[in-house]
């Protein structure tokens, strides 16, 4: 039985973000297809008592520093050291910040499949030093990774231009949850929804400003938080306290509730601006949300004609959402188009099948024990 170690997520099972959703779907799939699967993670972020946890998956918690600036690198290092000692047949590495540790794995003869994610150094939350760290990790990833995975075609083109790389295109998947009950206190098709981590590049501040005017037209539901507290969390708290029809749920780890919120929304706003295929957008499509998205090349690639697009200013966001709320036929059309596009292009079965194939291919170039995998 071949073995794979998955590094760079918060662990299994975890509900923090896109990488964690991928791991929750992929790890059991790989176990079904004959892999011995170990997921490296963080004690504070995993739920080992989760009833949905697959007992075949080995969850290993390593140590690290729990802070916004140091957590990724510190847990990346301890995860890589564990993998180097355990010597799995192949490692699936998530996030280019872990590029600094790829030489350790390469010299141990462990081939690596690296999901490069988005363009992390363009995120507004990072200062100059952090951006330089991510750029350094990306350069090392381009050199030392055995195989790259790009989650969007535009990201693949970016890496080809900047680093001269090629890689597999594997997006994220979504699941049609079937018909779900309307969440308590809401009415189907009447409210505006935003689901996002509270960071500037997700257009959260602009949406919160737009919510002040939107609430006069429809209830507003906000899902997300920064995870560390801060001004955006405080702004959302104050809005919910001041307006009866603005509801802030914070971070939601309950998938059925989150899917129901997408499914029954009148309009869903998606403001992510940095990176490729966003997992939350794909899942919103699978739930049949009528979507207004920030106009970026990545969101256009994912949505195609199954969404509307807006500039990121509060007035533009409010106008685009209000306009779609007034068009019930258009919302029904966009809902059906989004669901159909997700079923055609973004399914977890297809995504996991592709990862399985890429990992199997990496086994074919595994170096003998003690010999380094040839870097790029």
């Amino acid at each position: 039985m071949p073995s794979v170690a998955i590094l760079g997520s918060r662990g299994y099972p975890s509900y923090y973000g896109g990488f964690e959703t991928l791991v929750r779907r992929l790890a059991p799939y790989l176990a079904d297809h004959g892999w011995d699967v170990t997921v490296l993670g963080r004690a504070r972020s995993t739920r080992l008592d989760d009833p949905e946890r697959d007992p075949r998956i080995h969850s290993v918690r390593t140590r690290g520093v729990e802070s916004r600036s140091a957590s990724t690198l510190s847990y990346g290092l301890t995860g890589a050291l564990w993998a180097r000692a355990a010597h799995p047949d192949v490692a699936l590495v998530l996030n280019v910040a872990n590029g600094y540790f790829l030489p350790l794995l390469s010299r141990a003869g462990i081939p690596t499949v690296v999901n490069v994610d988005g363009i992390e150094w363009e995120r507004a939350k990072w200062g100059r030093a952090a951006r330089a760290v991510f750029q350094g990790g990306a350069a090392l990833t381009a050199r030392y990774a055995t195989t790259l995975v790009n989650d969007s075609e535009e990201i693949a083109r970016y890496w080809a231009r900047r680093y001269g790389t090629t890689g597999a295109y594997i997006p994220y998947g979504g699941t049609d949850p079937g018909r779900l009950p309307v969440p308590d206190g809401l009415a189907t098709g009447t409210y505006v929804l935003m689901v996002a981590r509270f960071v500037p590049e997700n257009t959260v501040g602009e949406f919160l400003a737009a919510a002040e005017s939107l609430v006069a037209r429809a209830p507003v539901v906000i899902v997300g938080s920064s995870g560390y507290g801060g001004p955006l969390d405080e702004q959302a708290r104050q809005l919910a306290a001041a307006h009866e029809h603005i509801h802030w749920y914070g971070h939601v780890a309950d998938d059925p509730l989150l899917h129901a919120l997408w499914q029954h929304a009148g309009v869903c706003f998606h403001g992510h601006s940095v990176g490729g295929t966003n997992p939350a957008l794909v899942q919103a499509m699978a739930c049949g949300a009528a979507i207004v998205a920030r106009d970026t090349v990545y969101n256009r690639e994912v949505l195609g004609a199954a969404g509307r697009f807006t500039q990121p200013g509060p007035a533009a966001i409010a106008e685009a959402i209000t306009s779609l709320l007034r068009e019930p036929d258009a919302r029904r059309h966009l809902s059906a188009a989004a669901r159909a596009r997700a079923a055609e292009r973004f399914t977890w079965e297809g995504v996991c099948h592709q990862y399985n194939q890429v990992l199997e291919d990496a086994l074919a170039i595994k170096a003998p024990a003690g010999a380094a995998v040839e870097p790029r």
Side-chain angles (χ1 to χ4, degrees):
M1 175 181 292
S3 58
V4 57
I6 303 177
L7 294 76
S9 79
R10 291 175 179 251
Y12 174 86
S14 177
Y15 297 82
Y16 180 76
F19 279 153
E20 289 69 34
T21 303
L22 170 63
V23 170
R24 282 190 287 117
R25 295 288 181 173
L26 179 59
Y29 182 96
L30 294 176
D32 287 341
H33 288 75
W35 290 87
D36 181 16
V37 184
T38 299
V39 181
L40 284 295
R42 313 177 187 183
R44 289 177 55 182
S45 303
T46 51
R47 297 171 48 176
L48 299 184
D49 61 343
D50 190 321
E52 299 298 319
R53 181 177 181 270
D54 190 321
R56 298 172 299 172
I57 310 306
H58 311 292
S59 293
V60 174
R61 295 163 160 184
T62 64
R63 294 184 178 183
V65 178
E66 287 287 352
S67 75
R68 181 179 300 186
S69 59
S71 59
T72 298
L73 288 175
S74 61
Y75 281 105
L77 174 60
T78 56
L81 290 172
W82 181 94
R84 188 174 186 272
H87 211 283
D89 293 313
V90 62
L92 172 60
V93 181
L94 310 173
N95 194 329
V96 296
N98 293 308
Y100 290 98
F101 315 120
L102 295 182
L104 289 174
L105 302 178
S106 175
R107 289 167 190 150
I110 303 170
T112 53
V113 174
V114 183
N115 181 317
V116 303
D117 198 25
I119 307 172
E120 191 72 25
W121 50 92
E122 291 187 359
R123 296 188 188 276
K125 66 177 180 178
W126 299 122
R128 181 178 299 176
R131 293 177 187 182
V133 167
F134 280 110
Q135 288 176 321
L140 288 167
T141 296
R143 179 178 178 186
Y144 283 98
T146 307
T147 303
L148 297 183
V149 171
N150 307 110
D151 68 26
S152 84
E153 293 167 338
E154 182 59 30
I155 290 291
R157 286 189 285 269
Y158 177 93
W159 275 71
R161 289 193 304 268
R162 179 157 184 160
Y163 299 108
T165 62
T166 58
Y169 161 60
I170 310 178
Y172 289 94
T175 302
D176 186 340
R179 196 65 182 168
L180 296 170
V182 184
D184 291 344
L186 299 172
T188 189
T190 63
Y191 59 90
V192 177
L193 172 67
M194 182 196 70
V195 178
R197 192 176 306 161
F198 280 16
V199 290
E201 61 271 13
N202 290 348
T203 325
V204 177
E206 294 87 343
F207 179 83
L208 295 179
E212 292 271 17
S213 60
L214 285 169
V215 72
R217 175 69 175 78
V220 176
V221 175
I222 304 160
V223 175
S225 70
S226 69
Y228 298 94
L232 291 174
D233 298 72
E234 181 60 21
Q235 186 178 353
R237 186 195 67 76
Q238 290 180 2
L239 280 172
H243 297 275
E244 179 184 359
H245 296 296
I246 294 181
H247 311 276
W248 179 37
Y249 282 65
H251 175 70
V252 172
D254 180 343
D255 277 354
L257 171 59
L258 187 55
H259 296 170
L261 287 169
W262 272 316
Q263 188 176 90
H264 292 284
V267 174
C268 177
F269 174 70
H270 180 80
H272 293 62
S273 64
V274 178
T277 298
N278 181 266
L281 177 56
V282 170
Q283 186 56 55
M285 293 166 65
C287 291
I291 297 166
V292 171
R294 179 168 172 169
D295 195 353
T296 71
V297 64
Y298 309 111
N299 292 337
R300 284 188 177 273
E301 178 185 320
V302 175
L303 279 165
R308 289 191 178 177
F309 302 93
T310 182
Q311 294 303 305
I317 292 169
E319 173 56 32
I321 291 173
T322 301
S323 175
L324 188 53
L325 283 171
R326 294 179 181 136
E327 303 176 58
D329 289 343
R331 286 191 280 131
R332 283 190 289 269
H333 171 76
L334 289 175
S335 172
R339 186 178 284 111
R341 188 170 174 86
E344 178 186 358
R345 297 171 61 96
F346 306 107
T347 67
W348 281 118
E349 176 66 26
V351 167
C352 292
H353 172 77
Q354 289 175 277
Y355 270 103
N356 183 56
Q357 185 62 59
V358 167
L359 290 168
E360 287 182 347
D361 291 345
L363 286 177
I365 54 176
K366 180 177 172 63
V373 176
E374 185 67 25
R376 291 174 174 271

